[in-house]
Amino acid sequence: MESPSPVAVVTVPFPAQGHLNQFLHLSLLLAGRGIPVHFAAPEPHLREARARVHGWDATALLDVPAHASPDPDPSSPFPTHMQPLFEAFCDGGGARASLAALLEELSVSHRRVVVLHDRLAAFAAREAARLPNGEALGVHCLAASYNVGWMDPGHRLLRVHGMVFHPADACATKEFVALAKRMGQERRRAPGAGMVSASSSDGHKLFAVGPLNPLLNPVPDAAARAPAERHSCLEWLDGQPPSSVLYISFGTTSSLRAEQVRELAVALRDTNQRFVWALRDADRADMREPGGERRLAESAASLLGDAAAQGTGVVVTGWAPQLEILAHGATAAFMSHCGWNSTVEGLSHGKAILAWPMHSDQPWDAELVCKYLRAGILVRPWEERGDVTPVSAIREAIERAMRSDEGAAVRERARALGDAVCAARANGGSSSRDLDATLSRT
């Protein structure tokens, strides 16, 4: 009789792109160190993961009950159109049942089964606890400092730096806040071995393993890659001066109103700023359904057509290779919604952030970047989130970031943070040591 394998790791992300992406990178880091990893996600997200990377086990399919997939609503900063998916995944029972079946199968063939689950997929901890040889660690996909403001909005750290923590019910819908609270109650009922932080542990041990995203070389390796393999926006970046381009993207869960697209387009035109703009509608809850990225692009085409024709900028209406854009030497700064995934990808490549938060933890990330790290410039205060940000405010933020002494200092601090991230990820660095400690624990 064959002896059981030593350990299996099952990663269970929450089905929102910023969370899925971090779990994908964490899974690859663990698999790269010889640990068998099962990435457990709903079928459309699993298919996307398979399309993006190869060479690791992505066969664990979580069954999510049928759910509505409405169009993204540009009038709502929060992705209300994703709520049916979130509810079906966390409360529908199908994901829990299929995960339980997978864990039971692995439990028989392995001496130990370790479940790394998103804090918003807390049902996974309960299922791991049912195994005689199972253990669960929560993964915190937000800034670790978010918990400081959550627990004590008047904390000295916030007061000293003039930072404001906006309560969850001001940044998300009441339905999502209720779901997050239910998952919090589920976490507290399940025994947890510890917490893995991608940057508050309610377990026994905190492993700070982030940032998780790859750190790419800023010098494009044209000799090693055929032109057909590179996105056209990267070819355009190759021809731009160093640190001259503004990259613009507002993530995968929010859509800009048409009038806001026009204001931003006019600001880019008026400043004659070089740019790469990833302009698309938000993802649908059902990723198998086509999106509407052309709607936004068409609304800006009349204003940006001349800029594109003159070589000033590029509009990307589909998938944009964000990491490669941020790593490129021509990119100077990143106008972002400040989702934690995008914020970390930008700062880890030394790019300053032009902060334009939309919902959830993003207002806190903007506070952290602009006031504590001083590696960003705020485009729009959170208090004005219901308004269309005018051309004048956008133009001022671009000119401050790209053409002023203040902006030069901000960009220099961002570069220093990128260097610090590289040191933390290098052999012997703090993130590398904590990843080793996580492996030792598993």
Side-chain angles (χ1 to χ4, degrees), residues 165-368:
F165 183 84
H166 300 279
D169 57 7
C171 306
T173 62
K174 65 180 186 300
E175 292 82 7
F176 185 80
V177 172
L179 174 65
K181 288 181 177 178
R182 290 199 301 276
M183 290 299 99
Q185 292 168 355
E186 184 118 30
R187 280 198 310 273
R188 288 187 285 275
R189 287 195 296 265
M195 184 67 61
V196 177
S197 174
S199 61
S200 43
S201 173
D202 46 14
H204 306 299
K205 173 64 179 174
L206 173 66
F207 301 98
V209 301
L212 299 169
N213 57 272
L215 302 177
L216 304 185
N217 191 327
V219 179
D221 189 2
R225 303 180 66 180
E229 295 177 330
R230 300 188 77 208
H231 195 283
S232 59
C233 73
L234 300 174
E235 299 291 330
W236 179 82
L237 281 170
D238 290 347
Q240 306 309 309
S243 299
S244 64
V245 175
L246 176 64
Y247 172 53
I248 305 164
S249 175
F250 297 105
T252 59
T253 61
S254 295
S255 295
L256 294 179
R257 286 179 279 184
E259 54 268 39
Q260 186 63 80
V261 171
R262 287 193 293 271
E263 295 293 298
L264 177 50
V266 171
L268 290 170
R269 183 195 65 191
D270 289 354
T271 58
N272 201 33
Q273 172 60 52
R274 291 181 174 87
F275 66 88
V276 173
W277 187 357
L279 180 60
R280 62 191 295 275
D281 276 340
D283 284 345
R284 299 288 294 267
D286 187 340
M287 295 179 71
R288 291 165 292 202
E289 297 183 14
E293 63 250 18
R294 296 302 309 176
R295 178 187 65 81
L296 286 174
E298 289 167 2
S299 71
S302 61
L303 295 166
L304 290 173
D306 289 343
Q310 295 167 9
T312 306
V314 173
V315 177
V316 180
T317 59
W319 173 82
Q322 179 159 295
L323 279 176
E324 291 176 274
I325 294 170
L326 291 169
H328 201 287
T331 304
F334 180 14
M335 182 179 285
S336 171
H337 62 302
C338 289
W340 189 238
N341 187 66
S342 288
T343 299
V344 170
E345 288 184 349
L347 293 178
S348 66
H349 286 95
K351 310 304 182 187
I353 306 294
L354 279 73
W356 194 327
M358 300 288 177
H359 60 80
S360 304
D361 60 313
Q362 297 164 14
W364 171 254
D365 297 342
E367 292 280 311
L368 179 69

Side-chain angles (χ1 to χ4, degrees), residues 12-27 39-42 44-46 48-49 52 82 85 118 141 283 287 341:
V12 186
F14 185 71
Q17 182 57 35
H19 296 246
L20 286 154
N21 197 46
Q22 292 187 60
F23 268 83
L24 177 60
H25 292 316
L26 177 59
S27 298
F39 186 83
H45 301 97
L46 198 58
E48 289 297 310
R52 290 170 64 183
M82 300 289 284
L85 167 63
D118 197 296
C141 288
D283 284 345
M287 295 179 71
N341 187 66

Side-chain angles (χ1 to χ4, degrees), residues 119 144-155 158 165 200-201:
R119 286 164 58 87
S145 59
Y146 182 84
N147 285 1
V148 176
W150 177 275
M151 293 184 291
D152 182 6
H155 192 280
L158 280 69
F165 183 84
S200 43
S201 173

Side-chain angles (χ1 to χ4, degrees), residues 2-126:
E2 290 187 15
S3 59
S5 300
V7 64
V9 172
V10 179
T11 56
V12 186
F14 185 71
Q17 182 57 35
H19 296 246
L20 286 154
N21 197 46
Q22 292 187 60
F23 268 83
L24 177 60
H25 292 316
L26 177 59
S27 298
L28 288 169
L29 285 171
L30 294 172
R33 299 198 179 199
I35 301 291
V37 179
H38 303 259
F39 186 83
E43 186 273 331
H45 301 97
L46 198 58
R47 188 181 65 249
E48 289 297 310
R50 284 184 178 132
R52 290 170 64 183
V53 294
H54 302 278
W56 57 290
D57 178 25
T59 59
L61 175 63
L62 298 189
D63 181 31
V64 177
H67 55 81
S69 182
D71 288 331
D73 179 7
S75 68
S76 171
F78 187 84
T80 53
H81 65 287
M82 300 289 284
Q83 188 68 24
L85 167 63
F86 298 159
E87 299 276 357
F89 181 74
C90 292
D91 294 336
R96 184 189 296 263
S98 51
L99 177 64
L102 170 66
L103 295 182
E104 185 175 352
E105 177 184 342
L106 293 173
S107 178
V108 173
S109 57
H110 293 79
R111 288 199 295 269
R112 198 148 170 266
V113 178
V114 177
V115 177
L116 300 176
H117 66 90
D118 197 296
R119 286 164 58 87
L120 286 172
F123 64 86
R126 296 289 299 275

